[in-house]
Every structure is written in structure tokens, then in C-alpha cells.
Amino acid sequence: MTHIAIAGAGFSGAVLAQELGRAGHRVDVFDTRPHVAGNCHTARDAASGVMLHTYGPHIFHTSNERVWDYVRRFGEFMPFVNRVKAITGGRVFSLPLNLLTINQFTGNTFSPAQAAAFFEDIGEKTEHAPANFEEQALALMGRKLYEAFFEGYTTKQWGMPPSALPASILQRLPVRFNYDDNYYNSRFQGIPRDGYTAVVENLLDLPNVEVHLGTRFERSQAADYDHVFCSGPLDAWFGHDAGRLGYRTLDFEREDHEGDHQGNAVINYCDASVPWTRISEHKHFAPWEQHAKTVTFKEYSRFCGPDDTPYYPIRLVAEKALLAHYVERARDENGVTFLGRLGTYRYVDMHVTIAEALDVADCYRRSLQAQVPLPAFVVDPLA
């Protein structure tokens, strides 16, 4: 059995620690924060009793049955459907764009087929494939819907005009020609009854897994271990010596209220004149609980500085070039494998990080059996 170090106690590191620890390896897990679960960290609020999603809302959703069965071994998941609302032009609509949104916004009573035909008519077609977010949106939904729901919100979220963003970002946002207002298409959806932190703590609860919180794993320590798995920032592994990969971060403005403040878990604010992107009321993420008090958080997006929490990788041309530089250097490292959102500089949901961590654990077992080194990346961050 080997002695393994894991940098990062989020889902990537915790799943890997569970799998390798259960296989008999000795595992040390390090995290610079004073708590486990990374950006999924949850904590019970002393003032209101509400379970707070410390770093913003996290709704677990997946169509991967293996991942769904796996994660429920470590905590009870309660049913939860994310039904986002959006305020634009002084009116409230449901997201993602669905038949109710379309009919409310346009003042029509379209059937599904009529709505699809309407979108075909209003889409701004060009001779070339959409080259950016704005062109993709205009081709899909026309100018009025784009300006109402996406232009201002996207500019606030990314700190740049949608014309500077890749078209692929819009692909995460579905348009439905029925009345389904479930934000996700995933087969399985839920939130853990006791919060995500409890799930991660259970993943790490093995006698041969030792967790070191408030402790940074240094590159110089790698020689003390048979293998290192890094789910921390790829550029930080090299001391940011070629520059920092760009991220967006979030600031949260807390408000305390009585009763039910906004009537929904998440409301997006699409108008550019409103400085925040959305307001989350966290008691609604646990509808099985009852609380007299409530807590809301306004979210503000900005560029991530050296001391900020990274959320969304920017991945534009300059960042991709710098990423390629670090990936090339990482592949020259001995006995180090990078994984997770930060380790591969990709925006991935919780279920994806869990699936990939399980794959990395499987690959490590096979590499030991075959007596061949595990590569620096099981998932190609440049793909």
C-alpha cells in the first residue's frame, strides 16, 4: 500500500480519499481553508437556524446513476427542484426560458409548435456559425428576449460584453417549448438533509485518512509521498510563476429578515442597472425545515484577485494560452496528478467532479497493478 497526499478537501479530494483509503492506502488530505467541502461548504446559521450554502447555492443534480447511488451512501438526499425566477423590466418570469416565460413576455398563448416556429422567425440568422455568446443568443431567440434576460445579466456575471464570450456558455442554458420550469434536465436532483459538509465529512471518515485543515500542501512535500493528487489551483502548484489563471469571484451581501422574504430560493436580476446578479434565500433550499427567520444573500460578481475565492474560470484566449503552458509543465512532474475544477481549470458541476474522482481512483489502481505511472491528467484540461 502507498502513502498518498491529496491537496484539497472538496468533493474531488474527498471522493479520492474515500476510494483510496478504503483500498488500504494511507492518505493525508490538506486544505488551506478551516473547513472541508470547498465551495460546497454548508453551515447551520446560529441566528436563524437556516442551513447556509456558504459560497452560494449548490443543487446536486445528475443523470449518472453510479454517481447518484454513490453520493447517497454518505448522506440522505432530499428531493429538491430548482425553480429559478428572473426579474427584468420590472416583471417576474420563470427560468430557464420556457413556454410560460415566452407567452408572458410576448403576450401570446403559443402552443409548443407555435413557440418553436416563433423562435425560428425571430432568430437572427447569419451566413457564419455564431462566433460568440451574443451571436449565439440572437440566432436562438432574437434581440428582445436576449436583451431582456441575458445581455445585462451576462455582462454583470463575466465583467465583459457577451460579444467577448464564447458561444458555448449559452449551451448551459436550455430553452423549452413546454411549461417545464425545472432548471435542470437531470434525472436525479436533491440536496443533502444535513448539508454538503456532512457528506464530505463522511467521505473522509476513515482511520487511515488524516485531514489537515488550514494547511497548504507545498510542492516541495511531494517527495515525501508515493503519489500526490492535486485538486487545488493548477497555477498555484507552480507558484503562479508564469502568471495567474483568470477567474471570476463572488461577493455576498447578507440580509436578515422575518418570515419569507422573496418566496423562492433564487431570483435572478437581469437588468444591467441592478448591480447584483441574483438573490438567494437559503431557507428555501431546505423546504423540509421550518424557520421563523430567514437569510438572503445578494451576489456580486467581479474579477478574482490573489486573496479571493475562485469560482468561474474565464478560459478566454489569454487564459487558454497560459493554461497550455502550465499543462505542459504539469505533464513533466513525477508522481503528481491534477483533478477537479481548480486542478484542471474547468467549470464543472459537483456530479462531474465526483465521477471524475472515481475514474481517477480506478486509474490509480490499474496503474499500480500494471506498474506504470499515472499521468498528470486523467481528464484533458485543454479539451
Side-chain angles (χ1 to χ4, degrees):
M1 296 296 103
T2 60
H3 190 192
I4 295 166
I6 298 175
F11 265 118
S12 292
V15 169
L16 197 56
Q18 167 68 206
E19 292 302 293
L20 299 183
R22 193 161 49 85
H25 301 284
R26 180 182 167 198
V27 182
D28 289 337
V29 180
F30 300 82
D31 203 292
T32 57
R33 301 184 193 184
H35 59 73
V36 301
N39 284 2
C40 300
H41 179 63
T42 50
R44 185 72 67 181
D45 181 51
S48 65
V50 173
M51 182 68 77
L52 299 182
H53 297 216
T54 306
Y55 300 93
H58 285 77
I59 294 89
F60 195 90
H61 62 99
T62 183
S63 294
N64 185 324
E65 193 164 357
R66 181 194 184 194
V67 168
W68 182 240
D69 290 341
Y70 182 85
V71 75
R72 289 185 299 148
R73 288 166 43 195
F74 303 95
E76 180 185 4
F77 277 68
M78 302 294 288
F80 183 84
V81 175
N82 195 26
R83 302 188 190 280
V84 177
K85 300 296 179 280
I87 294 179
T88 180
R91 300 169 64 195
V92 182
F93 300 91
S94 66
L95 285 181
L97 294 185
N98 60 74
L99 193 53
L100 179 60
T101 313
I102 297 164
N103 280 333
Q104 282 183 315
F105 186 80
T106 63
N108 289 297
T109 56
F110 289 137
S111 68
Q114 289 171 328
F118 173 72
F119 265 59
E120 184 66 27
D121 287 339
I122 64 174
E124 296 186 6
K125 304 299 186 288
T126 60
E127 294 181 357
H128 60 274
N132 56 59
F133 182 105
E134 182 172 82
E135 290 185 1
Q136 180 74 58
L138 291 174
L140 175 63
M141 67 190 68
R143 187 162 298 275
K144 289 184 178 180
L145 284 162
Y146 160 67
E147 290 178 347
F149 291 98
F150 296 103
E151 184 179 37
Y153 187 92
T154 304
T155 301
K156 291 187 292 185
Q157 180 74 3
W158 291 99
M160 61 188 73
S163 58
L165 295 168
S168 59
I169 293 177
L170 190 62
Q171 295 171 2
R172 296 177 57 88
L173 306 171
V175 173
R176 301 194 181 110
F177 299 121
N178 57 33
Y179 289 102
D180 181 8
D181 63 350
N182 184 340
Y183 199 76
Y184 302 111
N185 289 316
S186 305
R187 289 173 57 200
F188 311 109
Q189 302 177 47
I191 291 179
R193 177 186 286 275
D194 299 316
Y196 292 101
T197 296
V199 174
V200 173
E201 288 173 342
N202 290 336
L203 282 162
L204 294 167
D205 187 18
L206 288 172
N208 50 331
V209 173
E210 187 171 348
V211 180
H212 309 268
L213 297 178
T215 306
R216 183 178 299 279
F217 184 83
E218 303 293 345
R219 187 183 179 193
S220 59
Q221 296 174 258
D224 299 332
Y225 293 88
D226 296 302
H227 201 89
V228 175
F229 294 92
C230 180
S231 65
L234 175 61
D235 52 344
W237 180 261
F238 298 101
H240 310 284
D241 59 8
R244 290 181 176 271
L245 291 169
Y247 286 89
R248 298 292 290 177
T249 191
L250 297 174
D251 294 322
F252 299 95
E253 181 180 306
R254 173 174 173 153
E255 293 182 4
D256 293 84
H257 303 275
E258 298 290 332
D260 187 348
H261 183 66
Q262 69 176 17
N264 199 58
V266 178
I267 297 182
N268 287 5
Y269 286 77
C270 303
D271 297 329
S273 58
V274 178
W276 55 86
T277 55
R278 62 181 180 175
I279 299 179
S280 301
E281 186 169 6
H282 288 219
K283 71 189 301 180
H284 293 297
F285 294 120
W288 53 90
E289 298 182 355
Q290 298 296 320
H291 301 282
K293 297 182 178 181
T294 191
V295 183
T296 64
F297 289 91
K298 291 178 179 176
E299 291 185 22
Y300 301 81
S301 177
R302 61 177 172 83
F303 187 78
C304 184
D307 299 322
D308 295 322
T309 301
Y311 282 85
Y312 308 109
I314 296 174
R315 288 185 72 97
L316 296 180
V317 174
E319 286 78 22
K320 286 185 177 180
L322 184 57
L323 173 63
H325 168 82
Y326 282 124
V327 166
E328 183 177 357
R329 290 173 62 183
R331 287 175 173 152
D332 291 333
E333 295 284 283
N334 293 318
V336 183
T337 298
F338 299 86
L339 73 158
R341 180 179 59 92
L342 300 177
T344 60
Y345 192 61
R346 295 151 55 235
Y347 181 61
V348 288
D349 291 323
M350 289 180 285
H351 67 283
V352 177
T353 65
I354 291 170
E356 291 180 354
L358 291 171
D359 289 343
V360 170
D362 291 341
C363 289
Y364 185 64
R365 295 188 193 102
R366 291 194 294 268
S367 74
L368 291 178
Q369 293 171 354
Q371 296 185 333
V372 296
L374 188 68
F377 299 97
V378 173
V379 176
D380 185 1
L382 299 176

